[in-house]
Amino acid sequence: SDNLAFTVVVLGASGDLAKKKTFPALFTLFDKGFLPKDLAIIGYARSALDINDLRKKIKGFLKSKDEAKKDEFVQHITYVQGAYDKSEAFENLQHTLEEREQKSQGGPAGRLYYLALPPSVYPQVCKGLKEGASQLPDIEGSWLRIIIEKPFGMDLESSEDLAEDLNKLFPEEQLYRIDHYLGKELMQNMLVMRFANRFISPCWNNQHIANVQIVFKEPFGTEGRGGYFDEFGIIRDVMQNHLLQVLALVAMEKPVSLGADDIRDEKVKVLRCISPVKGEDSILGQYVSNGKDPGYLDDETTPKGSKTPTFAAVKLHIRNDRWEGVPFILKAGKALNERKVEIRLQMRPTVANLWHEEDPNALRNELVMRIQPDEAIYYKLAIKKPGLEYNPVMSELDLSYKSRFKETYIPDAYERLILDAIRGDQEHFVRRDELRAAWAIFTPLLHAIDDGKLEPVEYKHGSRGPPEADELIRDAGFVRNESY
Ligand code: BG6
Protein backbone atom coordinates (compact mmCIF):
# COMPACT_ATOMS: atom_id res chain seq x y z
CA SER A 1 0.00 0.00 0.00
CA ASP A 2 1.15 3.55 -0.71
CA ASN A 3 0.89 4.75 2.82
CA LEU A 4 2.62 1.81 4.48
CA ALA A 5 4.82 2.77 7.41
CA PHE A 6 7.62 0.37 6.68
CA THR A 7 10.33 -0.54 9.17
CA VAL A 8 13.14 -3.03 8.82
CA VAL A 9 14.71 -4.02 12.09
CA VAL A 10 18.12 -5.54 11.51
CA LEU A 11 18.96 -7.60 14.57
CA GLY A 12 22.69 -8.17 14.69
CA ALA A 13 23.26 -4.83 12.99
CA SER A 14 27.01 -4.81 13.54
CA GLY A 15 27.63 -8.36 12.36
CA ASP A 16 29.12 -9.61 9.13
CA LEU A 17 25.90 -10.69 7.40
CA ALA A 18 24.25 -7.35 8.08
CA LYS A 19 27.18 -5.35 6.79
CA LYS A 20 27.94 -7.47 3.75
CA LYS A 21 24.47 -8.48 2.64
CA THR A 22 21.52 -6.95 4.45
CA PHE A 23 22.38 -3.25 4.37
CA PRO A 24 23.85 -3.26 0.85
CA ALA A 25 20.75 -5.06 -0.45
CA LEU A 26 18.47 -2.59 1.32
CA PHE A 27 20.48 0.25 -0.14
CA THR A 28 20.12 -1.00 -3.71
CA LEU A 29 16.38 -1.41 -3.25
CA PHE A 30 16.24 2.11 -1.85
CA ASP A 31 18.41 3.49 -4.64
CA LYS A 32 16.20 1.91 -7.30
CA GLY A 33 13.04 3.16 -5.66
CA PHE A 34 11.72 -0.22 -4.53
CA LEU A 35 11.36 0.52 -0.83
CA PRO A 36 8.19 2.10 0.54
CA LYS A 37 8.50 5.90 0.81
CA ASP A 38 7.79 5.92 4.51
CA LEU A 39 10.90 4.04 5.49
CA ALA A 40 12.71 3.46 8.77
CA ILE A 41 15.64 1.15 9.35
CA ILE A 42 16.44 0.21 12.90
CA GLY A 43 19.72 -1.46 13.74
CA TYR A 44 19.59 -3.56 16.88
CA ALA A 45 22.54 -5.12 18.70
CA ARG A 46 23.96 -5.65 22.15
CA SER A 47 26.80 -3.18 22.16
CA ALA A 48 26.64 0.54 22.75
CA LEU A 49 27.12 2.09 19.33
CA ASP A 50 27.27 5.69 18.32
CA ILE A 51 24.73 6.21 15.56
CA ASN A 52 27.07 8.33 13.47
CA ASP A 53 29.79 5.69 13.68
CA LEU A 54 27.30 3.02 12.70
CA ARG A 55 26.05 5.03 9.73
CA LYS A 56 29.58 5.68 8.61
CA LYS A 57 30.50 2.02 8.92
CA ILE A 58 27.45 0.89 6.98
CA LYS A 59 28.08 3.51 4.33
CA GLY A 60 31.49 1.97 3.77
CA PHE A 61 29.83 -1.28 2.69
CA LEU A 62 27.47 0.28 0.13
CA LYS A 63 28.48 -0.25 -3.45
CA SER A 64 27.79 3.03 -5.21
CA LYS A 65 29.59 6.17 -6.26
CA ASP A 66 26.57 8.30 -5.43
CA GLU A 67 27.66 9.79 -2.09
CA ALA A 68 24.49 11.85 -1.70
CA LYS A 69 22.27 8.82 -2.18
CA LYS A 70 24.27 6.83 0.33
CA ASP A 71 24.01 9.67 2.84
CA GLU A 72 20.30 9.88 2.25
CA PHE A 73 20.00 6.15 2.86
CA VAL A 74 21.96 6.01 6.09
CA GLN A 75 19.91 8.92 7.45
CA HIS A 76 17.02 6.46 7.62
CA ILE A 77 18.98 4.27 10.01
CA THR A 78 18.59 4.58 13.76
CA TYR A 79 19.95 2.34 16.46
CA VAL A 80 18.46 0.54 19.42
CA GLN A 81 20.78 -1.16 21.86
CA GLY A 82 19.46 -4.26 23.50
CA ALA A 83 20.18 -7.78 24.64
CA TYR A 84 18.71 -10.82 22.91
CA ASP A 85 17.44 -12.42 26.10
CA LYS A 86 15.88 -9.54 28.02
CA SER A 87 12.20 -8.74 27.76
CA GLU A 88 12.79 -5.05 28.65
CA ALA A 89 14.99 -4.76 25.60
CA PHE A 90 12.24 -5.94 23.29
CA GLU A 91 9.68 -3.76 25.01
CA ASN A 92 11.97 -0.85 24.38
CA LEU A 93 12.13 -1.83 20.72
CA GLN A 94 8.33 -2.04 20.59
CA HIS A 95 8.15 1.41 22.10
CA THR A 96 10.49 2.82 19.46
CA LEU A 97 8.43 1.18 16.74
CA GLU A 98 5.14 2.47 18.12
CA GLU A 99 6.47 5.99 18.22
CA ARG A 100 7.68 5.70 14.67
CA GLU A 101 4.44 4.17 13.43
CA GLN A 102 2.32 6.82 15.14
CA LYS A 103 4.20 9.49 13.23
CA SER A 104 3.14 7.94 9.94
CA GLN A 105 0.18 9.03 7.83
CA GLY A 106 -2.29 6.74 9.51
CA GLY A 107 -1.65 3.89 7.11
CA PRO A 108 -0.85 0.30 8.01
CA ALA A 109 2.51 -0.67 9.47
CA GLY A 110 4.84 -3.24 7.97
CA ARG A 111 7.59 -4.65 10.13
CA LEU A 112 10.34 -6.78 8.75
CA TYR A 113 12.54 -8.32 11.42
CA TYR A 114 15.78 -9.42 9.83
CA LEU A 115 17.63 -11.82 12.10
CA ALA A 116 21.25 -11.38 11.03
CA LEU A 117 22.22 -13.56 13.97
CA PRO A 118 23.43 -17.10 14.64
CA PRO A 119 20.55 -19.60 14.67
CA SER A 120 21.32 -20.59 18.26
CA VAL A 121 19.67 -17.35 19.37
CA TYR A 122 16.67 -17.52 16.99
CA PRO A 123 14.38 -19.11 19.60
CA GLN A 124 15.13 -16.58 22.34
CA VAL A 125 14.98 -13.64 19.94
CA CYS A 126 11.69 -14.82 18.47
CA LYS A 127 10.35 -15.27 21.97
CA GLY A 128 11.43 -11.73 22.82
CA LEU A 129 9.83 -10.39 19.66
CA LYS A 130 6.63 -12.32 20.21
CA GLU A 131 6.21 -11.25 23.81
CA GLY A 132 7.72 -7.79 23.64
CA ALA A 133 7.62 -6.38 20.17
CA SER A 134 4.88 -7.92 18.08
CA GLN A 135 1.92 -5.63 18.74
CA LEU A 136 0.99 -3.95 15.50
CA PRO A 137 -1.22 -0.90 15.17
CA ASP A 138 -4.84 -1.85 14.80
CA ILE A 139 -4.96 -0.85 11.16
CA GLU A 140 -5.97 -3.22 8.44
CA GLY A 141 -3.10 -4.30 6.23
CA SER A 142 -0.47 -4.16 8.97
CA TRP A 143 1.97 -7.03 8.98
CA LEU A 144 4.99 -8.53 10.69
CA ARG A 145 7.48 -10.87 9.01
CA ILE A 146 10.71 -12.44 10.14
CA ILE A 147 13.67 -13.31 7.95
CA ILE A 148 16.03 -16.04 9.10
CA GLU A 149 18.86 -17.85 7.41
CA LYS A 150 20.67 -21.17 7.67
CA PRO A 151 22.13 -23.16 9.29
CA PHE A 152 18.74 -24.49 10.35
CA GLY A 153 19.96 -27.25 12.65
CA MET A 154 22.57 -29.93 12.09
CA ASP A 155 20.34 -32.80 11.00
CA LEU A 156 16.71 -33.76 10.67
CA GLU A 157 16.04 -33.88 14.38
CA SER A 158 17.75 -30.65 15.44
CA SER A 159 16.26 -28.81 12.49
CA GLU A 160 12.78 -30.00 13.43
CA ASP A 161 13.38 -28.94 17.04
CA LEU A 162 14.31 -25.46 15.89
CA ALA A 163 11.35 -25.27 13.52
CA GLU A 164 9.05 -26.44 16.31
CA ASP A 165 10.38 -23.80 18.71
CA LEU A 166 9.87 -21.07 16.14
CA ASN A 167 6.47 -22.24 14.95
CA LYS A 168 5.19 -22.16 18.52
CA LEU A 169 5.81 -18.42 18.40
CA PHE A 170 5.17 -17.49 14.78
CA PRO A 171 3.27 -19.36 12.06
CA GLU A 172 4.91 -20.32 8.77
CA GLU A 173 3.25 -17.38 7.01
CA GLN A 174 5.38 -15.02 9.08
CA LEU A 175 8.67 -16.92 8.78
CA TYR A 176 10.83 -16.27 5.74
CA ARG A 177 13.67 -18.79 5.58
CA ILE A 178 16.27 -17.54 3.18
CA ASP A 179 18.14 -19.86 0.87
CA HIS A 180 19.89 -17.24 -1.19
CA TYR A 181 20.23 -19.59 -4.18
CA LEU A 182 16.51 -19.12 -4.73
CA GLY A 183 17.18 -15.44 -5.32
CA LYS A 184 19.67 -16.01 -8.13
CA GLU A 185 18.57 -14.99 -11.61
CA LEU A 186 18.83 -18.38 -13.24
CA MET A 187 17.00 -20.12 -10.47
CA GLN A 188 14.18 -17.64 -10.81
CA ASN A 189 14.17 -18.43 -14.50
CA MET A 190 13.75 -22.15 -14.01
CA LEU A 191 9.96 -22.37 -14.04
CA VAL A 192 9.70 -20.17 -17.11
CA MET A 193 12.30 -22.22 -18.94
CA ARG A 194 10.70 -25.50 -18.06
CA PHE A 195 7.03 -24.71 -18.39
CA ALA A 196 6.81 -22.00 -21.02
CA ASN A 197 8.82 -23.74 -23.74
CA ARG A 198 7.44 -26.43 -25.95
CA PHE A 199 11.01 -27.24 -27.02
CA ILE A 200 11.85 -28.17 -23.50
CA SER A 201 8.91 -29.43 -21.49
CA PRO A 202 8.15 -32.61 -23.49
CA CYS A 203 11.79 -33.73 -23.21
CA TRP A 204 12.13 -33.10 -19.51
CA ASN A 205 11.94 -36.72 -18.31
CA ASN A 206 13.66 -40.10 -18.28
CA GLN A 207 12.65 -40.80 -21.88
CA HIS A 208 15.06 -38.15 -23.04
CA ILE A 209 17.33 -37.15 -20.21
CA ALA A 210 20.08 -39.60 -19.28
CA ASN A 211 21.69 -37.91 -16.30
CA VAL A 212 21.70 -34.62 -14.42
CA GLN A 213 24.54 -32.86 -12.65
CA ILE A 214 24.31 -29.94 -10.29
CA VAL A 215 27.78 -28.63 -9.63
CA PHE A 216 29.09 -26.05 -7.18
CA LYS A 217 32.79 -25.16 -7.37
CA GLU A 218 34.72 -22.54 -5.46
CA PRO A 219 38.37 -21.76 -6.12
CA PHE A 220 39.20 -20.80 -2.53
CA GLY A 221 39.47 -22.72 0.72
CA THR A 222 38.13 -21.82 4.15
CA GLU A 223 40.79 -19.13 4.69
CA GLY A 224 40.36 -18.38 8.36
CA ARG A 225 36.75 -19.54 8.39
CA GLY A 226 37.83 -23.11 9.13
CA GLY A 227 36.63 -22.99 12.71
CA TYR A 228 33.13 -22.16 11.54
CA PHE A 229 33.15 -24.38 8.50
CA ASP A 230 34.43 -27.41 10.39
CA GLU A 231 31.26 -27.72 12.44
CA PHE A 232 29.29 -28.15 9.25
CA GLY A 233 31.28 -29.44 6.32
CA ILE A 234 30.44 -29.02 2.66
CA ILE A 235 27.21 -31.05 2.75
CA ARG A 236 25.58 -28.91 5.42
CA ASP A 237 27.16 -25.75 4.05
CA VAL A 238 25.89 -25.86 0.48
CA MET A 239 24.53 -29.25 -0.56
CA GLN A 240 21.64 -29.97 1.79
CA ASN A 241 20.32 -26.47 1.17
CA HIS A 242 21.45 -24.64 -1.99
CA LEU A 243 21.97 -27.63 -4.28
CA LEU A 244 18.85 -29.46 -3.15
CA GLN A 245 16.82 -26.33 -3.77
CA VAL A 246 18.27 -26.22 -7.28
CA LEU A 247 17.44 -29.87 -7.73
CA ALA A 248 13.89 -29.38 -6.52
CA LEU A 249 13.29 -26.70 -9.15
CA VAL A 250 14.86 -28.83 -11.86
CA ALA A 251 12.92 -31.97 -11.00
CA MET A 252 9.54 -30.85 -9.63
CA GLU A 253 6.28 -31.42 -11.47
CA LYS A 254 4.38 -28.51 -12.97
CA PRO A 255 2.60 -26.65 -10.19
CA VAL A 256 -1.15 -26.10 -10.28
CA SER A 257 -0.55 -22.34 -10.28
CA LEU A 258 2.19 -19.84 -9.63
CA GLY A 259 1.00 -19.48 -6.04
CA ALA A 260 3.84 -19.77 -3.54
CA ASP A 261 2.31 -22.77 -1.85
CA ASP A 262 1.42 -24.56 -5.06
CA ILE A 263 5.05 -24.28 -6.10
CA ARG A 264 6.38 -25.32 -2.73
CA ASP A 265 3.98 -28.26 -2.63
CA GLU A 266 5.63 -29.61 -5.77
CA LYS A 267 9.12 -29.02 -4.43
CA VAL A 268 8.37 -30.93 -1.25
CA LYS A 269 6.83 -33.74 -3.23
CA VAL A 270 9.87 -34.31 -5.39
CA LEU A 271 12.25 -34.05 -2.45
CA ARG A 272 10.21 -36.68 -0.65
CA CYS A 273 10.69 -39.00 -3.63
CA ILE A 274 14.45 -39.08 -3.05
CA SER A 275 15.88 -41.91 -0.97
CA PRO A 276 18.49 -41.01 1.66
CA VAL A 277 21.99 -40.96 0.17
CA LYS A 278 23.99 -44.10 0.78
CA GLY A 279 27.66 -44.11 1.66
CA GLU A 280 28.46 -46.09 -1.47
CA ASP A 281 26.84 -43.40 -3.60
CA SER A 282 29.07 -40.69 -2.23
CA ILE A 283 32.65 -39.51 -2.56
CA LEU A 284 34.00 -37.21 0.13
CA GLY A 285 37.13 -35.15 -0.15
CA GLN A 286 39.32 -32.79 1.82
CA TYR A 287 41.83 -30.51 0.17
CA VAL A 288 45.52 -30.63 0.90
CA SER A 289 48.24 -28.18 -0.01
CA ASN A 290 49.46 -28.08 -3.58
CA GLY A 291 52.80 -26.70 -2.42
CA LYS A 292 51.65 -23.13 -2.86
CA ASP A 293 48.15 -22.80 -1.39
CA PRO A 294 47.44 -24.21 2.07
CA GLY A 295 45.50 -27.37 2.76
CA TYR A 296 42.36 -27.43 4.89
CA LEU A 297 44.28 -28.66 7.93
CA ASP A 298 46.85 -25.90 7.47
CA ASP A 299 44.15 -23.32 8.21
CA GLU A 300 44.90 -22.36 11.81
CA THR A 301 41.24 -22.13 12.67
CA THR A 302 40.61 -25.73 11.56
CA PRO A 303 40.66 -28.24 14.44
CA LYS A 304 43.70 -30.54 14.26
CA GLY A 305 43.14 -33.81 12.46
CA SER A 306 39.65 -32.84 11.32
CA LYS A 307 37.94 -35.29 8.95
CA THR A 308 35.35 -32.78 7.80
CA PRO A 309 34.70 -33.01 4.07
CA THR A 310 35.33 -29.89 2.01
CA PHE A 311 34.18 -31.73 -1.11
CA ALA A 312 31.34 -34.14 -1.79
CA ALA A 313 29.84 -35.80 -4.83
CA VAL A 314 26.69 -37.84 -4.33
CA LYS A 315 24.34 -39.76 -6.55
CA LEU A 316 20.63 -39.39 -5.90
CA HIS A 317 17.65 -41.34 -7.20
CA ILE A 318 14.26 -39.77 -7.59
CA ARG A 319 11.66 -42.46 -7.32
CA ASN A 320 8.85 -41.25 -9.50
CA ASP A 321 7.60 -41.86 -13.04
CA ARG A 322 9.36 -38.89 -14.51
CA TRP A 323 12.82 -39.63 -13.18
CA GLU A 324 13.08 -43.37 -12.57
CA GLY A 325 16.50 -44.46 -13.86
CA VAL A 326 18.01 -40.98 -14.16
CA PRO A 327 20.93 -40.42 -11.80
CA PHE A 328 21.13 -36.94 -10.29
CA ILE A 329 24.66 -36.06 -9.26
CA LEU A 330 25.29 -33.27 -6.79
CA LYS A 331 28.87 -32.13 -6.56
CA ALA A 332 30.26 -29.37 -4.36
CA GLY A 333 33.71 -28.41 -3.28
CA LYS A 334 35.95 -25.72 -1.88
CA ALA A 335 39.48 -25.03 -3.12
CA LEU A 336 38.84 -26.36 -6.61
CA ASN A 337 40.14 -25.20 -9.99
CA GLU A 338 37.43 -22.64 -10.77
CA ARG A 339 34.39 -20.73 -9.61
CA LYS A 340 31.32 -22.19 -11.22
CA VAL A 341 27.82 -23.24 -10.39
CA GLU A 342 25.94 -25.02 -13.13
CA ILE A 343 23.21 -27.47 -13.96
CA ARG A 344 23.98 -29.94 -16.71
CA LEU A 345 21.40 -32.23 -18.29
CA GLN A 346 22.71 -34.82 -20.66
CA MET A 347 20.27 -36.28 -23.15
CA ARG A 348 20.05 -39.91 -24.18
CA PRO A 349 21.75 -40.85 -27.44
CA THR A 350 19.81 -40.58 -30.69
CA VAL A 351 18.52 -43.85 -32.07
CA ALA A 352 20.56 -45.43 -34.90
CA ASN A 353 23.15 -42.67 -35.10
CA LEU A 354 23.94 -42.43 -38.83
CA TRP A 355 27.36 -40.97 -38.33
CA HIS A 356 28.61 -43.00 -35.42
CA GLU A 357 27.19 -46.47 -35.77
CA GLU A 358 30.06 -47.85 -33.77
CA ASP A 359 29.75 -45.34 -30.93
CA PRO A 360 26.20 -44.62 -29.80
CA ASN A 361 27.54 -42.28 -27.15
CA ALA A 362 28.98 -39.80 -29.62
CA LEU A 363 27.21 -36.50 -30.26
CA ARG A 364 25.26 -36.38 -27.04
CA ASN A 365 23.09 -33.32 -26.56
CA GLU A 366 23.40 -31.38 -23.36
CA LEU A 367 21.55 -28.46 -21.86
CA VAL A 368 23.65 -26.39 -19.50
CA MET A 369 22.44 -23.64 -17.22
CA ARG A 370 25.28 -21.70 -15.71
CA ILE A 371 24.09 -19.98 -12.56
CA GLN A 372 27.41 -18.21 -12.01
CA PRO A 373 29.67 -16.58 -12.94
CA ASP A 374 28.24 -15.01 -16.10
CA GLU A 375 24.75 -16.42 -16.30
CA ALA A 376 24.22 -18.46 -19.44
CA ILE A 377 22.02 -21.14 -20.93
CA TYR A 378 23.43 -23.21 -23.74
CA TYR A 379 22.64 -26.29 -25.74
CA LYS A 380 25.35 -28.58 -26.90
CA LEU A 381 24.17 -30.05 -30.14
CA ALA A 382 25.47 -31.72 -33.25
CA ILE A 383 25.83 -29.77 -36.48
CA LYS A 384 27.57 -30.44 -39.73
CA LYS A 385 31.02 -28.97 -39.56
CA PRO A 386 30.94 -26.08 -42.05
CA GLY A 387 32.96 -26.75 -45.17
CA LEU A 388 33.21 -29.14 -48.04
CA GLU A 389 33.51 -32.18 -45.88
CA TYR A 390 30.54 -33.81 -44.30
CA ASN A 391 31.33 -34.39 -40.66
CA PRO A 392 29.06 -33.84 -37.71
CA VAL A 393 30.63 -32.08 -34.73
CA MET A 394 29.35 -30.82 -31.42
CA SER A 395 28.67 -27.11 -31.20
CA GLU A 396 26.65 -24.76 -29.03
CA LEU A 397 23.52 -22.65 -29.14
CA ASP A 398 24.55 -20.09 -26.63
CA LEU A 399 22.45 -17.62 -24.67
CA SER A 400 24.89 -15.62 -22.66
CA TYR A 401 23.18 -13.06 -20.45
CA LYS A 402 26.08 -10.65 -20.61
CA SER A 403 25.84 -10.18 -24.34
CA ARG A 404 22.08 -10.62 -24.70
CA PHE A 405 20.96 -8.42 -21.82
CA LYS A 406 23.73 -5.85 -21.89
CA GLU A 407 21.92 -3.00 -20.18
CA THR A 408 19.89 -5.11 -17.81
CA TYR A 409 20.70 -4.99 -14.15
CA ILE A 410 20.80 -8.47 -12.64
CA PRO A 411 19.87 -8.13 -8.99
CA ASP A 412 21.77 -9.72 -6.17
CA ALA A 413 19.94 -12.62 -4.53
CA TYR A 414 19.42 -10.73 -1.28
CA GLU A 415 17.90 -7.72 -3.01
CA ARG A 416 15.29 -9.85 -4.65
CA LEU A 417 14.51 -11.89 -1.57
CA ILE A 418 14.14 -8.90 0.73
CA LEU A 419 11.81 -7.31 -1.81
CA ASP A 420 9.76 -10.52 -1.92
CA ALA A 421 9.50 -10.48 1.85
CA ILE A 422 8.29 -6.87 1.79
CA ARG A 423 5.67 -7.89 -0.76
CA GLY A 424 4.68 -10.92 1.26
CA ASP A 425 5.61 -13.42 -1.44
CA GLN A 426 6.95 -16.64 0.06
CA GLU A 427 7.63 -18.51 -3.17
CA HIS A 428 11.38 -18.16 -2.88
CA PHE A 429 11.58 -19.01 0.80
CA VAL A 430 11.94 -22.47 2.24
CA ARG A 431 8.87 -23.90 3.91
CA ARG A 432 9.27 -26.12 6.95
CA ASP A 433 8.25 -29.32 5.18
CA GLU A 434 10.78 -28.64 2.40
CA LEU A 435 13.46 -28.24 4.98
CA ARG A 436 12.45 -31.47 6.65
CA ALA A 437 12.47 -33.37 3.36
CA ALA A 438 15.89 -31.95 2.49
CA TRP A 439 17.37 -33.00 5.82
CA ALA A 440 15.90 -36.48 5.53
CA ILE A 441 17.94 -37.05 2.36
CA PHE A 442 21.28 -36.30 3.98
CA THR A 443 20.88 -37.10 7.66
CA PRO A 444 21.98 -40.78 7.57
CA LEU A 445 25.05 -39.88 5.51
CA LEU A 446 25.90 -36.97 7.81
CA HIS A 447 25.61 -39.18 10.87
CA ALA A 448 27.91 -41.75 9.26
CA ILE A 449 30.45 -38.99 8.61
CA ASP A 450 30.09 -37.56 12.12
CA ASP A 451 30.61 -41.06 13.55
CA GLY A 452 33.82 -41.44 11.58
CA LYS A 453 32.43 -44.25 9.42
CA LEU A 454 33.18 -42.37 6.22
CA GLU A 455 36.37 -40.50 5.59
CA PRO A 456 37.35 -37.97 2.97
CA VAL A 457 40.00 -38.69 0.36
CA GLU A 458 42.60 -36.04 -0.35
CA TYR A 459 42.58 -33.70 -3.31
CA LYS A 460 44.96 -30.91 -4.14
CA HIS A 461 44.01 -27.28 -3.59
CA GLY A 462 43.14 -25.90 -7.02
CA SER A 463 42.45 -29.27 -8.64
CA ARG A 464 39.26 -30.74 -10.15
CA GLY A 465 38.64 -32.60 -6.89
CA PRO A 466 39.22 -36.29 -6.20
CA PRO A 467 39.41 -38.44 -9.36
CA GLU A 468 37.02 -40.83 -7.59
CA ALA A 469 34.30 -38.22 -8.13
CA ASP A 470 34.90 -38.18 -11.88
CA GLU A 471 34.53 -41.95 -11.78
CA LEU A 472 31.24 -41.72 -9.91
CA ILE A 473 29.98 -39.32 -12.56
CA ARG A 474 31.19 -41.53 -15.39
CA ASP A 475 29.57 -44.56 -13.79
CA ALA A 476 26.34 -42.61 -13.64
CA GLY A 477 26.48 -42.53 -17.44
CA PHE A 478 27.83 -39.07 -18.11
CA VAL A 479 29.82 -38.89 -21.33
CA ARG A 480 32.20 -36.02 -21.91
CA ASN A 481 31.74 -34.39 -25.31
CA GLU A 482 34.20 -31.88 -26.66
CA SER A 483 32.57 -28.99 -28.52
CA TYR A 484 33.93 -27.80 -31.78
C1 BG6 B 1 27.02 -19.94 1.65
C2 BG6 B 1 28.07 -20.86 2.21
O1 BG6 B 1 25.74 -20.36 2.04
O2 BG6 B 1 27.09 -19.93 0.24
C3 BG6 B 1 29.45 -20.44 1.74
O3 BG6 B 1 28.02 -20.83 3.62
C4 BG6 B 1 29.46 -20.33 0.23
O4 BG6 B 1 30.43 -21.37 2.17
C5 BG6 B 1 28.31 -19.47 -0.27
O5 BG6 B 1 30.71 -19.77 -0.15
C6 BG6 B 1 28.22 -19.46 -1.78
O6 BG6 B 1 27.33 -18.46 -2.18
P1 BG6 B 1 27.52 -17.77 -3.61
O7 BG6 B 1 26.35 -16.88 -3.73
O8 BG6 B 1 28.83 -17.05 -3.54
O9 BG6 B 1 27.56 -18.86 -4.61
Side-chain angles (χ1 to χ4, degrees):
S1 102
D2 279 346
N3 57 351
L4 180 77
F6 173 61
T7 312
V8 198
V9 183
V10 182
L11 297 111
S14 47
D16 244 24
L17 177 67
K19 284 185 297 203
K20 290 193 184 138
K21 299 289 184 189
T22 318
F23 288 116
L26 284 168
F27 170 70
T28 309
L29 290 173
F30 173 79
D31 189 24
K32 294 189 178 296
F34 281 101
L35 293 186
K37 293 273 162 316
D38 185 356
L39 164 72
I41 302 172
I42 300 179
Y44 184 99
R46 277 178 308 196
S47 41
L49 292 176
D50 175 70
I51 182 63
N52 291 319
D53 286 348
L54 181 68
R55 285 177 180 158
K56 216 163 105 198
K57 237 205 233 135
I58 291 171
K59 199 179 156 200
F61 281 89
L62 307 179
K63 287 159 265 161
S64 166
K65 292 199 178 68
D66 189 342
E67 295 300 317
K69 199 80 196 182
K70 288 194 278 190
D71 285 329
E72 196 190 326
F73 173 75
V74 296
Q75 283 312 310
H76 286 276
I77 304 175
T78 54
Y79 182 66
V80 172
Q81 178 190 356
Y84 298 121
D85 55 355
K86 295 249 164 23
S87 47
E88 309 90 77
F90 291 100
E91 282 154 22
N92 180 31
L93 177 62
Q94 167 73 18
H95 186 68
T96 310
L97 283 156
E98 272 171 19
E99 255 179 6
R100 174 259 178 288
E101 284 157 1
Q102 271 156 18
K103 274 194 229 132
S104 75
Q105 303 307 307
R111 290 188 195 172
L112 187 62
Y113 287 114
Y114 197 118
L115 271 53
L117 292 167
S120 54
V121 301
Y122 289 170
Q124 77 191 46
V125 169
C126 285
K127 187 161 176 282
L129 291 174
K130 174 77 184 179
E131 288 168 2
S134 60
Q135 299 96 292
L136 295 169
D138 191 14
I139 298 173
E140 180 151 343
S142 294
W143 52 259
L144 181 164
R145 298 176 190 135
I146 299 174
I147 294 185
I148 50 180
E149 190 162 350
K150 68 146 182 119
F152 302 118
M154 293 295 281
D155 58 8
L156 181 57
E157 202 190 340
S158 50
S159 164
E160 272 291 287
D161 287 347
L162 176 64
E164 190 57 35
D165 283 349
L166 300 187
N167 275 157
K168 274 190 206 137
L169 300 162
F170 293 100
E172 279 296 294
E173 298 72 58
Q174 289 184 303
L175 291 176
Y176 285 66
R177 289 187 197 83
I178 283 197
D179 183 307
H180 79 285
Y181 267 60
L182 292 175
K184 292 188 186 262
E185 182 61 39
L186 252 58
M187 295 326 300
Q188 302 231 326
N189 180 52
M190 186 61 75
L191 296 194
V192 181
M193 263 257 303
R194 286 192 52 196
F195 300 118
N197 289 302
R198 193 65 191 242
F199 269 134
I200 290 179
S201 44
C203 297
W204 207 265
N205 55 46
N206 58 4
Q207 295 298 302
H208 300 282
I209 294 176
N211 56 72
V212 179
Q213 291 180 65
I214 299 169
V215 176
F216 169 102
K217 296 169 92 179
E218 271 181 350
F220 43 82
T222 51
E223 278 146 28
R225 243 178 111 234
Y228 167 83
F229 182 87
D230 202 76
E231 271 183 68
F232 301 99
I234 195 73
I235 295 176
R236 290 183 176 100
D237 193 42
V238 298
M239 206 176 252
Q240 177 273 340
N241 33 64
H242 306 328
L243 298 197
L244 272 188
Q245 283 295 326
V246 174
L247 179 143
L249 290 172
V250 170
M252 67 187 253
E253 296 297 313
K254 188 174 184 168
V256 178
S257 80
L258 290 176
D261 277 325
D262 284 338
I263 291 171
R264 296 188 296 176
D265 285 348
E266 295 305 333
K267 288 168 67 194
V268 181
K269 215 158 88 192
V270 78
L271 290 173
R272 289 185 55 206
C273 290
I274 302 175
S275 332
V277 189
K278 297 201 196 82
E280 69 244 37
D281 285 337
S282 70
I283 302 291
L284 307 173
Q286 190 184 76
Y287 65 91
V288 296
S289 174
N290 55 9
K292 193 166 81 259
D293 307 298
Y296 180 64
L297 296 178
D298 303 325
D299 183 332
E300 281 180 0
T301 58
T302 302
K304 300 255 162 307
S306 165
K307 301 271 188 222
T308 298
T310 59
F311 174 99
V314 305
K315 188 165 75 182
L316 301 177
H317 304 276
I318 303 178
R319 295 161 304 145
N320 65 15
D321 289 336
R322 182 183 296 274
W323 296 117
E324 180 59 37
V326 181
F328 278 70
I329 306 280
L330 304 188
K331 178 169 118 177
K334 300 251 169 203
L336 295 175
N337 57 339
E338 59 185 342
R339 168 165 186 255
K340 187 151 84 184
V341 178
E342 67 179 16
I343 306 165
R344 195 168 265 274
L345 297 102
Q346 187 163 61
M347 309 307 280
R348 293 192 181 283
T350 47
V351 175
N353 189 326
L354 292 172
W355 292 272
H356 288 279
E357 273 174 280
E358 73 299 345
D359 179 11
N361 275 329
L363 308 174
R364 293 279 292 274
N365 286 167
E366 270 179 69
L367 173 60
V368 183
M369 281 160 279
R370 188 165 66 229
I371 299 170
Q372 65 193 34
D374 295 336
E375 293 84 352
I377 301 171
Y378 57 95
Y379 262 117
K380 290 193 153 199
L381 74 183
I383 61 155
K384 175 192 161 298
K385 185 176 168 186
L388 288 175
E389 276 136 40
Y390 194 65
N391 293 325
V393 289
M394 292 306 288
S395 188
E396 281 159 22
L397 270 181
D398 193 352
L399 172 60
S400 149
Y401 276 42
K402 238 192 194 152
S403 54
R404 186 60 62 112
F405 304 109
K406 278 195 195 74
E407 307 302 324
T408 312
Y409 173 70
I410 297 187
D412 176 72
Y414 283 86
E415 292 161 15
R416 191 142 18 198
L417 295 175
I418 292 174
L419 185 59
D420 280 351
I422 296 171
R423 291 173 172 165
D425 181 354
Q426 289 192 302
E427 175 185 339
H428 305 292
F429 294 86
V430 183
R431 212 167 59 186
R432 178 174 173 180
D433 51 356
E434 281 183 79
L435 187 62
R436 185 190 304 136
W439 275 117
I441 295 168
F442 280 108
T443 293
L445 185 73
L446 287 165
H447 285 172
I449 297 170
D450 294 345
D451 295 346
K453 292 185 189 125
L454 293 170
E455 289 199 3
V457 293
E458 294 181 354
Y459 64 98
K460 287 230 163 74
H461 194 133
S463 69
R464 286 179 46 79
E468 287 89 337
D470 287 333
E471 263 163 52
L472 177 91
I473 293 166
R474 228 181 2 255
D475 290 348
F478 175 72
V479 179
R480 192 168 294 281
N481 261 310
E482 289 314 321
S483 286
Y484 185 73

